[in-house]
Amino acid sequence: MSSRYDRAITIFSPDGHLLQVEYAQEAVRKGSTAVGVRGANCVVLGVEKSSVSPMQEDRTVQKISMLDKHVALAFAGLTADARILINRGQMECQSHRLNFDNPVTPEYITRYIAQHKQKYTQCTGRRPFGISCLVGGIDADGSARLFHTEPSGIFYEYKAISTGRSANTVREFFEKAYRDHEVTTKCEAIKLATRALLEVTQLGQSRLEVAVLENGKPMKMLDSCVISEIVKIFQKEKEQELQAKAHKMKR
Amino acid sequence: MSSRYDRAITIFSPDGHLLQVEYAQEAVRKGSTAVGVRGANCVVLGVEKSSVSPMQEDRTVQKISMLDKHVALAFAGLTADARILINRGQMECQSHRLNFDNPVTPEYITRYIAQHKQKYTQCTGRRPFGISCLVGGIDADGSARLFHTEPSGIFYEYKAISTGRSANTVREFFEKAYRDHEVTTKCEAIKLATRALLEVTQLGQSRLEVAVLENGKPMKMLDSCVISEIVKIFQKEKEQELQAKAHKMKR
Amino acid sequence: MSSRYDRAITIFSPDGHLLQVEYAQEAVRKGSTAVGVRGANCVVLGVEKSSVSPMQEDRTVQKISMLDKHVALAFAGLTADARILINRGQMECQSHRLNFDNPVTPEYITRYIAQHKQKYTQCTGRRPFGISCLVGGIDADGSARLFHTEPSGIFYEYKAISTGRSANTVREFFEKAYRDHEVTTKCEAIKLATRALLEVTQLGQSRLEVAVLENGKPMKMLDSCVISEIVKIFQKEKEQELQAKAHKMKR
Amino acid sequence: MSSRYDRAITIFSPDGHLLQVEYAQEAVRKGSTAVGVRGANCVVLGVEKSSVSPMQEDRTVQKISMLDKHVALAFAGLTADARILINRGQMECQSHRLNFDNPVTPEYITRYIAQHKQKYTQCTGRRPFGISCLVGGIDADGSARLFHTEPSGIFYEYKAISTGRSANTVREFFEKAYRDHEVTTKCEAIKLATRALLEVTQLGQSRLEVAVLENGKPMKMLDSCVISEIVKIFQKEKEQELQAKAHKMKR
Amino acid sequence: MSSRYDRAITIFSPDGHLLQVEYAQEAVRKGSTAVGVRGANCVVLGVEKSSVSPMQEDRTVQKISMLDKHVALAFAGLTADARILINRGQMECQSHRLNFDNPVTPEYITRYIAQHKQKYTQCTGRRPFGISCLVGGIDADGSARLFHTEPSGIFYEYKAISTGRSANTVREFFEKAYRDHEVTTKCEAIKLATRALLEVTQLGQSRLEVAVLENGKPMKMLDSCVISEIVKIFQKEKEQELQAKAHKMKR
Amino acid sequence: MSSRYDRAITIFSPDGHLLQVEYAQEAVRKGSTAVGVRGANCVVLGVEKSSVSPMQEDRTVQKISMLDKHVALAFAGLTADARILINRGQMECQSHRLNFDNPVTPEYITRYIAQHKQKYTQCTGRRPFGISCLVGGIDADGSARLFHTEPSGIFYEYKAISTGRSANTVREFFEKAYRDHEVTTKCEAIKLATRALLEVTQLGQSRLEVAVLENGKPMKMLDSCVISEIVKIFQKEKEQELQAKAHKMKR
Amino acid sequence: MSSRYDRAITIFSPDGHLLQVEYAQEAVRKGSTAVGVRGANCVVLGVEKSSVSPMQEDRTVQKISMLDKHVALAFAGLTADARILINRGQMECQSHRLNFDNPVTPEYITRYIAQHKQKYTQCTGRRPFGISCLVGGIDADGSARLFHTEPSGIFYEYKAISTGRSANTVREFFEKAYRDHEVTTKCEAIKLATRALLEVTQLGQSRLEVAVLENGKPMKMLDSCVISEIVKIFQKEKEQELQAKAHKMKR
């Protein structure tokens, strides 16, 4: 019966569902995984990049985009849709600076993006945006912020969040692994985000993309060699853990 | 047969129903419960917050929003839709202050929101808003006001009202428990609203959100420790009641 | 076969019917009863208010609204639709005063409302309004006027009229009970309207709402105690009648 | 097969029919009968009024409306549609006087109404008007004019014409009864129109409405007592006729 | 299969047909016959008028209309559609005179009408015009012109042409009967057009309408007595012909 | 399955086709044949004219139109559509002269027409134009140009090209018969175009229409006697050829 | 089931797909192959031209277009769609020069084209563009850039990329054959692009079209003789390779 209600974008099914929005979320669930981790003074965003071809220039495959010097966006879902939203976000950041003489807050630009998405779920003549966004940024007072928006236009703030193909696995991982005292430093935040991606990626460490936002510094993409260093540390830790276990079992 | 009339938003079924509006109310009935209680000089709004994840920041999950210093809105239903209406409400409050040099009355802003909802039930190209709102506020003369709007655009004033998943249970509770003389003080209003939520919530006291509006003061969210204090008082009262009963029965 | 023609708002069925308009009248027939009585120098409007909850504030449940100082509107049908029409009517009254320096006539504002309704039955993209309105008012020369508009946009003037759930019963009552000489005074008009409502209401006298418009005075809602006084008089009259009958039969 | 072509307003069926226009004419055929008779220096319009209730004010049930001092319109079909067209016609008459400093001719205003109707048969998003109009008026040179417009937008001039429920019966009656020399005087025109209505009405003489337009005089509605006088004359004539017949047969 | 393509106005069927345009031509084929004959210095247009009723005023049933002093239009098909096109054509003629200080050429106004028709076959939201027009007129150099436009918007110039119910029969007649030297005079052109109509009309000579356009003279409608004179001549000619034949056979 | 995708103008079928455009090309394929030949300093356009009736004026049946003094257009397909495009093209030529003080190039006006066509294949609410155009013209430097546009909006330049009913036969003919050195003179170009039409026409030489564009001269239509002269030459050539063959065979 | 979701352009299927966009990509896959190779200081674009007829002028069949002096575009898919996008791109390049006094970067114009494409996948009333574009250009600092955009609006940068009928074969070829050090010179880039096309073309070398963009020089199309020279070199290389192999095997 649901099939009768899912083709007209702007209507409710008899049990109160908006089916097109749910299908758009399905498109997100097909997208590659994106994660975000908020540290004490920083936000780390990470994605896996599906490699179309070795001929492709890495720079344009980037799935993490700066909206402003202090705000970045990672997404899961339809890339072309994302580009539109990113562009609108960037323009809003610019125009905010011009009109108000100060930068947007991460929450302001997240709400701007979320409302734009909601509009596309209520009016005819348009389909919902097929992307979920993670917006990370630094407030004027230096505190780090991390938001998540869905195709429906809902947004919430998180300490650590994931979206895309393996979102649920990562969220469970975060609930176990995230401890406030652990992510006070930038290093810990980077390690947590990277490990979350490694837990679920099928593409190998070389296809990871990790960005860091700190107070007073522009967004920085991690070098691939840095990432492989982190991977080595994980492996060492894992071995030590195993040895420790073995050691324990021996006793 | 109804299936023929429910997909076109703006038409009546042969027995005079607007089915899309009724489906939108179904979306409201799926939403988490919201309650409102009007005291002599104050209004208390309360909601239960569905916790998506422990990683989520409580602040952005807030389901009670200030429209103006003296008016607040709680809702049940689609969060993204609510954000749009809240935003429009807030802007209308601002523009009213600018144009007329005095704040909106709670009734004015409720009518504004309700008419906006009605428009979405009569014109094609849009679906109804999938939310019910409780609007509480303080009039210029200091008297407290509490309104309820439905997806259809109907609104009424109430002494105590509930909407969302467990609305009916709470309404019955209010009809029994609300006595005008009981809610003369702020304390009593807070206790009544909290107890109403506790009656129906499946999430436990920690997921409650309670806001108070008083004359001359901005909206104040209750501390979670205050709420747990109230819960303790209830438990004590219940025990005393039970003891009293037992005592009675003994005699 | 009718099912083919009733979903497209603006088309005729092969036998020349506009089915959506007829379905909207069905919505009116589901509404609570409204009555209007025209006296020599006054108009009385009366409605029964369906009580959603004892917690509800009576004031916002009012189904009789002033359009201007000398014109009032009662309705049966969808409340949210009514609020829109009332609002438009009130604005038209205001703008008429500004543009023409004198108030609208009751007939002018009735025609304005009726044409607005008709437009919604002929153009696509909108559904008909699901309400019938009784418009009562006082002309510039002090004479009382009473009009009735249907969802189709038809309007007529009446001496006494009813719409909504029990419209037919009340109309029959009026045809028997209304005698021109009986309603020369305000009192008689009030009594006739009240009695008409009592004939059909299932809610009891306390849920009645009666408004009076007189030349040179603003609309006045009757006090509930006044209504109960009237009810007492009816009961007394009934008893006297019964006694008289009994007395007759004895003889 | 026709059923495929009759729901879309603006398309031809394979055999070249516009079915929605034909359905609208069906709505006209359901309307109460209207007649028009052109005398030498006058036009007489007549209708039967379906009486909804004895409480109804006759004045607003009038189915004959003045468009200007010298032009009147009677209709058969949907009353709400008629009010719109009458209103537009009246406004056009006003604006013509203002812009050109002289009144419209009956033909001009008929063409205006007819073109408005045609537009509603050719554009999407609107249904045809469900009424036929009789437009009677006096030209600047004092000669009487009588026009008939259909839902399709066709209009023709007539000496005597009828539309609505019993149009065909009346037309046959006119073809027999109308003789040019008979209707040179106002009286004869009134009598012919009244008799045509009496031939077909099921409502009795008291529900007839007859209007007369003469050169240099505003439209005048006939008094019901005048009508009953005319009816008496008919009855007398009929009796005399019968007597004459009987007298003949005797011989 | 055609049934799938004929309801959407603006689309081609798989074999490259525009079915709505072809259905509109069907409406033309149902219309009463119209003919046009071009003489050396004149154009003659003729139609048969379907008589709705003897009460009808002949003047408004006229199916030949002046567009300008020197251009006239006859049509077959939907009368209401024709009135719209005629009106537009007349207005264009007026505005051309005003803007360019000289009258339109018959070809210019034909192209104007034809393009207006074509637009209605290519854009959605409108149906094609259900009429074919014959446009006759006199050029600035005094030469006569005769054009024919179809619902599709095609137009061509002709020496003699017919459209409507019996168009094919008349065309065959013209191909046999039209000889250039025969129609050098106005008389011959009138006779040819009248005879063409008499060949096919089922209504009798009294329902014919014939108009003549000559250089330097406004359009002139032929008197019915003139037409009957022509008919008499035909009959005499026929008799003479028969006698001649009989005479021949005798020999 | 195709039937599902061909009624909505602006969508792809699952295998990537735009079916409405292909159906429009079907309408072209039903049109009468048009050919174009580019010589060294001239372009020749030729068409066959379907003769509707001997009464028709040849001049308006012309299927070759001047866009500007130095550019002409021949078409195959829907005549009414062609007239619209020709009109737009002519206006663009005029406005180009006014705005830029020099004439359009043949390529510019071809691109203008092609883009207009493409727009009608991508936007809803309109069907594609059902015509193919051959645009021939002379550049500012005197060189001849010949273009072909399809309903899809594609255009290419050709030395010799054909469209319409027998396009494929003619194209094969051109590929055999066209040799660059052969068409250096105007005569050869005319002969090639005429012969191409004679190869395929079923209407006989008298229905051919051939136009020549030369540098510095306005477009010139060939006289029918000139065409018959050419035909005679062909016949003579053919006979000579046959004789030559016979002569050869004898040897 | 997919058939329900693929006709409405702007909606998701239940599994999160945009079917119209996927069908448009099917149209691209039917298009002739286009390749792009980025060298150190140059970009080479190459296409195969489907030859419609030997009569066609090569110049207008060109599938590689200059957007600006330093940016070129090659495409696969619907030619008419491509012309529109190319035209828009060219105009944007012009207006950028005027407004900002410096040329667009290749990335800017690629994003402009990609966003234009995305818009056509999200709004109703339009279909997606049925083309993939390769945009090659030189940055202000002299470095070469090469981008690829899909019908969905996605774009990426590449070192070497192919689209159209044989895209996959060519991409595999590039992955094997492309070595950064190999394409440092213009010659190597040309050779790589040409060889890629020769690998897949069914049309022979004469139908290839190859364009080169170098810093400070406008786009240059390769001469067909140059291409055949390159082909000869390949053949020689192949032979030498075979000889070498044979030589090896002998040993």
Side-chain angles (χ1 to χ4, degrees), chain F residues 1 4-5 7-18 38 107 111 114-115 118-119 121-124 145-147 152-161 171 174-175 178, chain G residues 2-3 6-9 20 22-24 26-27 30 50 52-63 78-84 87 120 124-131:
Chain F
M1 186 159 134
R4 287 212 200 96
Y5 302 96
R7 270 163 297 163
I9 304 173
T10 63
I11 70 167
F12 287 96
S13 71
D15 49 349
H17 285 278
L18 292 169
R38 195 183 75 193
E107 182 164 359
R111 171 174 295 115
Q115 288 190 353
Q118 194 274 351
K119 235 188 291 169
T121 74
Q122 193 166 28
C123 301
T124 51
R145 309 294 296 273
L146 174 61
F147 296 92
S152 66
I154 296 180
F155 72 94
Y156 290 119
E157 189 168 8
Y158 287 87
K159 289 175 195 155
I161 180 67
R171 289 184 195 190
F174 278 146
E175 287 174 30
Y178 188 100
Chain G
S2 72
S3 70
D6 58 357
R7 271 163 297 162
I9 304 173
Q20 268 297 308
E22 298 181 7
Y23 296 170
E26 204 59 48
K30 286 189 158 46
S50 56
V52 175
S53 142
M55 291 295 100
Q56 222 168 25
E57 273 299 315
D58 257 26
R59 203 184 48 77
T60 52
V61 193
Q62 282 186 12
K63 303 194 108 171
L78 304 184
T79 303
D81 285 20
R83 289 236 164 93
I84 297 298
N87 207 259
Y120 278 64
T124 51
R126 293 182 277 196
R127 59 168 171 81
F129 278 95
I131 55 166

Side-chain angles (χ1 to χ4, degrees), chain C residues 13-141:
Chain C
S13 69
D15 49 349
H17 285 277
L18 292 169
L19 292 175
Q20 267 297 308
V21 173
E22 297 180 9
Y23 296 170
Q25 274 162 335
E26 205 59 49
V28 169
R29 247 165 259 138
K30 286 189 156 46
S32 48
T33 316
V35 307
V37 170
R38 195 183 75 192
N41 306 301
C42 71
V43 182
V44 179
L45 299 175
V47 294
E48 44 165 3
K49 297 184 290 190
S50 57
S51 174
V52 174
S53 142
M55 290 294 100
Q56 219 166 28
E57 274 298 315
D58 258 26
R59 203 183 48 77
T60 52
V61 194
Q62 282 187 12
K63 304 194 107 170
I64 303 178
S65 308
M66 273 178 67
L67 295 181
D68 201 341
K69 275 193 305 190
H70 63 304
V71 192
L73 182 150
F75 69 91
L78 304 185
T79 303
D81 284 21
R83 289 236 163 93
I84 298 300
L85 267 187
I86 289 164
N87 208 258
R88 291 203 76 134
Q90 286 167 338
M91 289 192 302
E92 180 65 20
C93 288
Q94 286 307 98
S95 108
H96 193 280
R97 271 183 191 277
L98 285 169
N99 291 330
F100 302 105
D101 254 338
N102 61 354
V104 298
T105 61
E107 182 164 358
Y108 172 87
I109 197 67
T110 305
R111 169 174 297 116
Y112 178 84
I113 287 168
Q115 289 189 351
H116 202 66
K117 284 178 168 180
Q118 194 275 349
K119 235 187 290 170
Y120 278 65
T121 75
Q122 193 165 27
C123 301
T124 50
R126 293 182 277 198
R127 59 167 171 82
F129 278 95
I131 55 165
S132 274
C133 306
L134 305 184
V135 179
I138 308 295
D139 261 354
D141 65 356

